[in-house]
Amino acid sequence: MSGHQMTVVITGGAGSIGRATAEVFARDGAKVWVLDLPPALERARADMAGIAAGFLDVDVTDAAAVRQAVAQVLAETGRIDVAVACAGVSAGTALEEISADEFSAIVAVNLGGAFNLMQAVAGPMRTAGGGRIVLLGSVAAQQGGVRSGPHYVAAKAGVHGLARWAAKNLGPYNVRVNTVAPGPVLTAMWEGLGGTADEGAEGYPLGRMGRPGDIAEAIHFLGGPRSDWITGSTLDINGGMYLR
């Protein structure tokens, strides 16, 4: 990846973790492409005016739209070095109250969105001789949820499995695929589940909940040369709330 400006594509790039990730990569000299939906996309465009970034209106549940966005990035940059699947939605609905539509929506964004991005970038990365894909998993998939419902837990568990499959099958083409598994992070999603700032943080060995920047730095590591011999792994970023 040396000798040219790194190109990074981030779905859900206008969200708290996605935006922090975009800013970390941009700080390192990368050209970042933020894929998200309005109005969050417009807010991100205004807030990130000072960095090298492109902004595309993309619904990650629409496979054709994701492929089109990837093609647009490739037409301008020639390659995609890092693809990060940050798009996510959550709900704390009780098992008996989850409708078929809600189940489908949660799975479509969290698991389907990650799959659609991976499917779109895998071929170009193979052609280019390599690349890195980072998927956003969750501690919820590892220990059965924090505040989220079973559909979110199942979708995130699927993300972890998807990453392992891709690591095995894309590794021979020098494409590394890894997952980050955040614990509760202070984001709008957490607040939407009824979480509050540093709730229960006294139970964490490190004494606080996560911040978007904590996750972004880990994604940046997995997207860079210092993780050159890492694939198929899950990087736990949870302040010690879950140990394995």
Side-chain angles (χ1 to χ4, degrees):
M1 282 190 243
S2 61
H4 70 278
Q5 184 182 33
M6 182 185 292
T7 300
V8 182
V9 170
I10 306 172
T11 59
S16 300
I17 293 174
R19 190 185 305 191
T21 301
E23 291 170 350
V24 170
F25 275 105
R27 183 188 67 200
D28 200 32
K31 171 64 180 289
V32 179
W33 290 84
V34 174
L35 280 53
D36 216 313
L37 292 170
L41 188 67
E42 281 69 34
R43 291 195 297 268
R45 189 196 304 269
D47 293 343
M48 299 167 64
I51 72 172
F55 300 85
L56 297 175
D57 181 348
V58 180
D59 178 352
V60 296
T61 68
D62 184 341
V66 175
R67 287 195 300 270
Q68 183 178 356
V70 166
Q72 186 172 338
V73 173
L74 289 169
E76 179 164 328
T77 67
R79 61 185 289 153
I80 293 173
D81 299 291
V82 184
V84 184
C86 271
V89 292
S90 186
T93 312
L95 174 64
E96 296 84 353
E97 298 173 4
I98 297 172
S99 67
D101 286 346
E102 181 178 319
F103 181 89
S104 296
I106 293 292
V107 174
V109 175
N110 292 290
L111 178 55
F115 174 82
N116 289 338
L117 178 64
M118 178 183 293
Q119 188 180 55
V121 301
M125 285 184 174
R126 284 195 298 258
T127 300
R132 297 170 193 270
I133 301 171
V134 183
L135 307 183
L136 201 70
S138 175
V139 68
Q142 298 169 315
Q143 47 86 276
V146 181
R147 283 181 171 271
S148 48
H151 43 354
Y152 178 82
V153 173
K156 287 299 187 181
V159 169
H160 286 256
L162 179 63
R164 294 188 186 101
W165 181 94
K168 288 179 66 175
N169 287 275
L170 298 179
Y173 302 97
N174 201 33
V175 178
R176 298 159 181 80
V177 186
N178 293 289
T179 309
V180 295
V185 179
L186 296 174
T187 64
M189 181 185 291
W190 175 246
E191 293 172 358
L193 291 171
T196 57
D198 285 331
E199 176 183 339
E202 67 278 359
Y204 293 48
L206 294 185
R208 68 169 176 85
M209 289 177 56
R211 308 292 194 269
D214 297 322
I215 315 306
E217 292 290 352
I219 293 171
H220 180 255
F221 165 71
L222 290 173
R226 291 177 296 170
S227 61
D228 199 54
W229 208 51
I230 301 175
T231 196
S233 73
T234 297
L235 181 52
D236 298 332
I237 319 164
N238 58 42
M241 70 166 293
Y242 176 75
L243 306 173
R244 64 187 177 100

